[in-house]
Amino acid sequence: MAEEGINRNGSSAGVASNNADQSDEPSFHTKMMNMVVCQQSNHPFFAPPSPFFQRPKTREEKLVEGVFESCVFKAGVATVFGFALGGAFGLFTAGLDPAITGDPTAISPTAKQPSTKEIMREIGRRGMSYGKNFAMVGAMFSGTECLIETYRGKSDWKNTIMSGCISGGLLGLRAGVKPAIAGCAGFAAFSAAIDYFLR
């Protein structure tokens, strides 16, 4: 009986020891978390898409992000793209204009046939004119939209409509009050339509 009691006590002690060893062993979730943490420390650029593992931004990254989100940068980008688009549109329309590339003798027998250099100069002048106009419109629209969005603290369709109205009104104001009102309404409607289709 004494030996049986000793065996029972020994077996119970062994079970308790095994349970203690199992309790000291980390769980599967803990192992996975440790693996992720080690992966982050070795390869910080391969962070999983989770807010819990995003590393803090450096001062240079914040500076670059601030420059990209500034109204001056947005207006500058819109100016460049507007100039390129306007220049391409001007070259396209100049190539289709019979007054530039057509035969002037068909209109007047005494008209002089322009040289290739004169035709290219006129096409370049047309493209430059369109490019400047498109660049000005792009800068005004993008700049006013960014300022309105910064002031309101919201990014919605109202910013686009107000920016279009301001840009159209300022462009039409050079010809008078009525053209300014018409420009405001026209640009606002066009901006609303573009924003609707893009969203």
Side-chain angles (χ1 to χ4, degrees):
M1 295 294 291
E3 293 180 357
E4 185 178 356
I6 293 173
N7 292 333
R8 288 181 180 179
N9 293 332
S11 61
S12 61
V15 172
S17 177
N18 293 333
N19 293 334
D21 294 338
Q22 291 179 359
S23 62
D24 293 338
E25 184 180 357
S27 62
F28 176 76
H29 181 266
T30 305
K31 292 180 180 179
M32 294 301 296
M33 292 296 295
N34 292 335
M35 186 183 300
V36 171
V37 171
C38 293
Q39 183 76 10
Q40 292 300 310
S41 60
N42 295 330
H43 304 283
F45 293 100
F46 295 94
S50 174
F52 298 102
F53 300 102
Q54 290 182 355
R55 61 186 180 87
K57 296 180 180 179
T58 62
R59 181 180 180 183
E60 290 76 12
E61 290 177 344
K62 293 181 180 179
L63 180 61
V64 172
E65 185 178 354
V67 170
F68 284 164
E69 293 181 356
S70 64
C71 296
V72 177
F73 180 80
K74 292 180 179 180
V77 172
T79 302
V80 174
F81 277 97
F83 183 81
L85 180 62
F89 185 74
L91 295 177
F92 177 76
T93 56
L96 299 178
D97 191 356
I100 299 177
T101 59
D103 187 7
T105 58
I107 302 176
S108 176
T110 59
K112 179 183 178 182
Q113 181 71 28
S115 62
T116 305
K117 185 177 181 179
E118 292 175 348
I119 294 176
M120 296 302 296
R121 185 185 298 112
E122 185 62 28
I123 291 176
R125 188 180 297 112
R126 178 76 65 87
M128 184 64 67
S129 176
Y130 275 73
K132 290 180 179 179
N133 292 333
F134 274 64
M136 182 175 61
V137 172
M140 291 177 60
F141 182 83
S142 180
T144 53
E145 184 182 20
C146 180
L147 292 176
I148 293 173
E149 181 179 347
T150 303
Y151 177 76
R152 296 182 66 239
K154 298 179 181 179
S155 178
D156 52 13
W157 56 273
K158 295 181 181 180
N159 299 335
T160 306
I161 294 179
M162 288 188 289
S163 177
C165 179
I166 294 174
S167 301
L170 292 177
L171 292 175
L173 189 61
R174 296 179 297 180
V177 179
K178 291 183 178 180
I181 297 176
C184 173
F187 267 76
F190 180 75
S191 301
I194 296 297
D195 184 77
Y196 175 77
F197 284 108
L198 291 180
R199 290 180 183 269

